[in-house]
Amino acid sequence: MTSTSHVYYGTLVHSLSLKELQVIDQGVLIVKDGLITHVEQNVKDVDALLKSIQLDAYELHRLEKHQFLLPGLVDTHAHAPQYVFSGSGMDLQLLEWLNKHVFPAESAFKDVAHADAAYTKVVSRFLRNGTTTCSWFATIHLESCQRLVDVINKLGQRAYVGKVNMDQNSPDYYIETTEDSLQNTKRFIEYTQQHSNGGLVTPVVTPRFAIACSSTLMKGLAGLAHDYKVPIQTHLCENPDEITFTKSLFPDSASYTAIYDDHNLLGPSSYMAHCVHMTDSEIDLLAERQTGIAHCANSNFSLHSGLCDVRRFMAKGVKVGLGTDVAGGFAPSIIDAIRSSFFASKTIKALERDQHGNKDYDYLQPAELIYLATLGGAHVLGLQDTIGSFVPGKAFDALWIDPTAAHGTVDLMGQESQEQVIEKFLFTGSDRNILHVFVNGRRVSGSA
Ligand code: GUN
Ligand code: FE
């Protein structure tokens, strides 16, 4: 049986590179079996084009004036169980916050029914906000981690899912032995590889951070990642007290970043969240290992961690994506991550001007923010050949944006340029302006 192609006709917006945002007018994008098969610009007569292509069967979807397609948003760092307290408990810095708010909330995920209910809420909310791909941290509990995979499969998100590992410096009620941690990670990887929803869901090895992981555990996890060919995610250089404590635990390593390197945890398939306080040589080490970072600006403000200057990383060729870090960050939305990253960047610009007399600091422009939220995140996750832009052969993970949606939050006067409309959506839009959310060609959410 031949499958129906879906033809989208209207404005297409996507990144070609960090600096280059391409706005395609009168674009035609054709999707078959979840994959983009054809992209064309300046098509005056779509019917004539379709006749010349001779598709077996197709449905034509016309975008209206001001509407546009955008690649699906990529969240490179979020904690699914922490969604239950997001928007609350921002009274403390990292280490105290973990003890007071995070560990009690995560330990409740031993209860599988609780996990099912919470995971359904958080994955639904992320999809509604346009996050078509997410890299998740779960908890230490094997069974509820498996439920998270099931929920993601049911709701249709593309995802990396990590069973969290913690065998030291953790509370008695939320800790595992080294052997259990390794054994259950192995079982989780195998389960997820068997329930990958056609390759949409991938397991990711997830040591929480060096404080909570023994040397034996980190080495064992690096071995599992190697054996099963799966990526690695963790936290790095988020907060000053965290860094001091971490270095005291691993005095033989030259830096916090070197601790992970000494345990074989850095490489092209690894990515590190936060990286707020990094020396130049630590950034060089990430560049050398081709390890990416997840920039989590909302969290870095909310937990008072500091300002991460992503320009320092990009200047050295380190891959950068955006992360919500729910619930260190309070917003389950990469549109919010774009805004928080913009503010972080503008704040650095002000500090450069006022403290260093440097008037030339180049804050993040809208085109760059869109790149970081889509193709940049795809690069961090090693998915740059699969998602992140509208290129034939890639999967159709996309958002159908309507800045003029009746119950939307963008107001237009009608004379705006397409560039202005896009910028207005980024800064004043909401989930109500996202009519449809597609993952692998399938509609999985949206306000329409
Ligand atoms: N470092 C170790 N665990 C966590 C966590 O859950 N959230 C954040 N933001 N940082 C961490
Ligand atoms: Fe985090």
Side-chain angles (χ1 to χ4, degrees):
M1 208 179 79
T2 57
S3 60
T4 304
S5 294
H6 289 269
V7 181
Y8 298 90
Y9 181 49
T11 303
L12 315 174
V13 177
H14 71 156
S15 297
L16 299 176
S17 66
L18 176 65
K19 302 270 183 196
E20 283 174 287
L21 186 72
Q22 187 180 36
V23 179
I24 300 178
D25 287 323
Q26 295 180 304
V28 167
L29 184 153
I30 305 179
V31 179
K32 191 172 183 194
D33 299 329
L35 297 181
I36 299 169
T37 59
H38 200 101
V39 179
E40 193 134 337
Q41 42 188 319
N42 297 319
V43 176
K44 303 272 181 268
D45 185 343
V46 67
D47 297 312
L49 175 83
L50 290 172
K51 240 180 226 150
S52 74
I53 299 178
Q54 293 194 330
L55 299 168
D56 293 327
Y58 67 85
E59 281 177 31
L60 176 61
H61 312 273
R62 289 174 191 269
L63 281 74
E64 290 168 20
K65 187 175 176 197
H66 296 313
Q67 296 183 345
F68 58 94
L69 292 184
L70 189 71
L73 303 170
V74 179
D75 188 338
T76 56
H77 183 78
H79 298 261
Q82 295 177 21
Y83 186 59
V84 299
F85 68 88
S86 66
S88 69
M90 288 172 281
D91 50 335
L92 299 166
Q93 291 193 44
L94 178 64
L95 297 180
E96 295 76 22
W97 173 78
L98 287 171
N99 281 314
K100 182 176 170 193
H101 298 292
V102 174
F103 296 152
E106 289 192 10
S107 71
F109 281 69
K110 195 175 182 342
D111 175 351
V112 176
H114 174 66
D116 263 330
Y119 287 155
T120 300
K121 275 197 207 303
V122 65
V123 177
S124 302
R125 176 63 62 195
F126 274 54
L127 282 172
R128 177 67 189 244
N129 285 331
T131 300
T132 51
T133 298
C134 188
S135 185
W136 296 107
F137 278 56
T139 63
I140 66 173
H141 317 99
L142 174 62
E143 229 190 310
S144 72
C145 289
Q146 293 169 333
R147 293 294 80 75
L148 176 56
V149 170
D150 297 345
V151 166
I152 290 167
N153 284 341
K154 189 163 143 219
L155 296 174
Q157 193 179 44
R158 189 185 298 277
Y160 284 17
V161 186
K163 177 219 161 312
V164 170
N165 304 99
M166 306 162 64
D167 74 339
Q168 65 172 27
N169 294 311
S170 304
D172 294 344
Y173 63 84
Y174 190 48
I175 191 167
E176 47 188 0
T177 64
T178 313
E179 302 85 80
D180 283 352
S181 188
L182 290 169
Q183 188 57 31
N184 286 335
T185 300
K186 197 167 162 219
R187 287 168 67 189
F188 177 72
I189 292 171
E190 289 170 358
Y191 179 87
T192 307
Q193 290 184 333
Q194 284 156 15
H195 298 80
S196 75
N197 195 17
L200 292 187
V201 179
T202 304
V204 48
V205 164
T206 305
R208 174 161 224 126
F209 60 167
I211 289 174
C213 299
S214 65
S215 257
T216 311
L217 177 57
M218 286 195 278
K219 289 216 173 102
L221 291 172
L224 286 178
H226 179 267
D227 293 346
Y228 286 90
K229 298 190 173 44
V230 298
I232 297 169
Q233 61 178 353
T234 187
H235 296 90
L236 174 60
C237 290
E238 177 174 359
N239 166 288
D241 290 346
E242 173 217 14
I243 294 169
T244 305
F245 185 35
T246 305
K247 286 184 178 167
S248 78
L249 294 172
F250 298 91
D252 296 340
S253 292
S255 66
Y256 190 164
T257 307
I259 295 168
Y260 292 142
D261 196 41
D262 294 343
H263 292 87
N264 301 324
L265 291 167
L266 301 185
S269 306
S270 302
Y271 46 100
M272 307 283 123
H274 300 283
C275 301
V276 179
H277 307 280
M278 301 269 289
T279 63
D280 288 339
S281 61
E282 286 182 284
I283 298 176
D284 288 337
L285 182 53
L286 290 188
E288 214 171 297
R289 297 286 179 264
Q290 297 172 266
T291 297
I293 70 162
H295 175 43
C296 305
N298 185 318
S299 171
N300 295 340
F301 284 124
S302 298
L303 296 182
H304 192 188
S305 299
L307 285 168
C308 176
D309 184 355
V310 292
R311 289 271 182 230
R312 292 176 66 212
F313 294 80
M314 296 192 292
K316 290 178 185 284
V318 175
K319 296 168 282 187
V320 180
L322 302 185
T324 58
D325 193 34
V326 157
F330 55 77
S333 157
I334 287 295
I335 296 293
D336 169 89
I338 284 175
R339 296 170 192 169
S340 301
S341 302
F342 178 76
F343 278 145
S345 180
K346 283 280 191 171
T347 306
I348 294 167
K349 180 164 178 71
L351 292 173
E352 281 291 316
R353 181 195 59 202
D354 299 343
Q355 295 182 354
H356 304 116
N358 168 18
K359 293 204 169 66
D360 299 327
Y361 183 81
D362 191 12
Y363 68 87
L364 293 170
Q365 304 289 329
E368 294 176 297
L369 291 163
I370 291 176
Y371 171 86
L372 295 176
T374 56
L375 194 52
H379 274 281
V380 167
L381 301 182
L383 292 173
Q384 67 277 3
D385 296 328
T386 309
I387 55 161
S389 58
F390 297 136
V391 175
K394 287 195 182 187
F396 186 60
D397 284 20
L399 313 181
W400 182 324
I401 308 292
D402 183 6
T404 59
H407 299 286
T409 49
V410 183
D411 284 309
L412 298 179
M413 296 303 291
Q415 309 308 317
E416 292 84 356
S417 67
Q418 190 64 51
E419 280 71 14
Q420 260 182 310
V421 172
I422 295 162
E423 215 171 308
K424 274 177 157 280
F425 166 71
L426 287 187
F427 289 96
T428 69
S430 68
D431 61 340
R432 284 174 278 170
N433 297 101
I434 306 176
L435 297 189
H436 309 285
V437 178
F438 301 99
V439 174
N440 221 32
R442 180 180 154 223
R443 186 185 190 277
V444 294
S445 189
S447 65

